[in-house]
Amino acid sequence: MHDDSSDWRRVLVDDEDALGALFDRHRTRLFAHARRLLNDREDAKDAVTIAFFELWRHRRRVRLVDGSPLPWLLVTVGNAARNLERSRRRYRSLIARVPVAQATQEVVSSDETGVLAALKRLPVAEQHVVVLAILEGYAERETAEILGIPPGTVKSRLSRAKAKLRDELTTVEETWA
């Protein structure tokens, strides 16, 4: 069985099969991450696909952690998810202006007011830190390395994000009580 570092060496010499091996190894985890950020399953698949296209395109500049591109892929999936959601909002706005014979009701996610919605409202920099440190379990030092920021910045962003999430979730809990 190959590990990320041996497959990565092959990717760097333009071996597309090695990229496929990385895709097969990490797609489930990346898809789960994309689903946390996006309501639409197909958009989540697209976010993962985009991340692998970008991995191939930028392979000579990708920052690895312990020989693995997974942290880079997690951040890239997050960025792709935000871009897809932004596009979706723009299209919804355009569609809303088109006259329709019969109005249709939009399907709303079951977590529209919960944890995932609160996570999506955090600033992007704080989202990255929360996803990597809390949801994906990377240590603060690793998170700092992945994002290319000092460990102290990770600590402060994580602290701010936790406080915002705690406040927001307390408000949500009070409205349900």
Side-chain angles (χ1 to χ4, degrees), residues 1 28 37 48 69 78 91 93 115 119 129 159-160 165 169 171 175:
M1 173 170 163
T28 302
L37 300 173
V48 172
Y91 289 130
S93 173
V115 177
L119 177 64
V129 171
S159 176
R160 275 193 310 274
L165 290 171
L169 294 175
T171 304
T175 60

Side-chain angles (χ1 to χ4, degrees), residues 49-169:
T49 302
I50 289 166
F52 275 94
F53 279 130
E54 292 300 307
L55 180 69
W56 182 258
R57 211 164 64 95
H58 298 289
R59 63 189 172 277
R60 305 231 189 300
R61 295 185 306 236
V62 169
R63 194 182 322 205
L64 304 182
V65 174
D66 296 327
S68 176
L70 178 61
W72 187 92
L73 285 164
L74 287 163
V75 170
T76 305
V77 164
N79 290 335
R82 270 184 296 290
N83 290 340
L84 288 166
E85 187 58 34
R86 213 175 2 256
S87 293
R88 182 177 272 263
R89 279 194 305 269
R90 272 195 304 271
Y91 289 130
R92 277 191 295 237
S93 173
L94 288 171
I95 290 169
R97 290 186 237 151
V98 174
V100 225
Q102 193 175 33
T104 58
Q105 186 175 358
E106 185 178 338
V107 178
V108 176
S109 168
S110 60
D111 187 56
E112 203 58 37
T113 61
V115 177
L116 297 180
L119 177 64
K120 290 177 189 178
R121 285 190 287 276
L122 288 175
V124 172
E126 290 176 12
Q127 283 181 29
H128 286 315
V129 171
V130 168
V131 166
L132 291 170
I134 296 174
L135 299 178
E136 291 297 329
Y138 285 98
E140 288 177 358
R141 176 193 56 76
E142 294 170 316
T143 300
E145 185 179 334
I146 293 163
L147 297 174
I149 58 177
T153 303
V154 170
K155 285 182 184 266
S156 62
R157 286 181 186 173
L158 195 53
S159 176
R160 275 193 310 274
K162 284 179 178 179
K164 289 175 186 174
L165 290 171
R166 187 173 28 257
D167 291 346
E168 202 166 324
L169 294 175

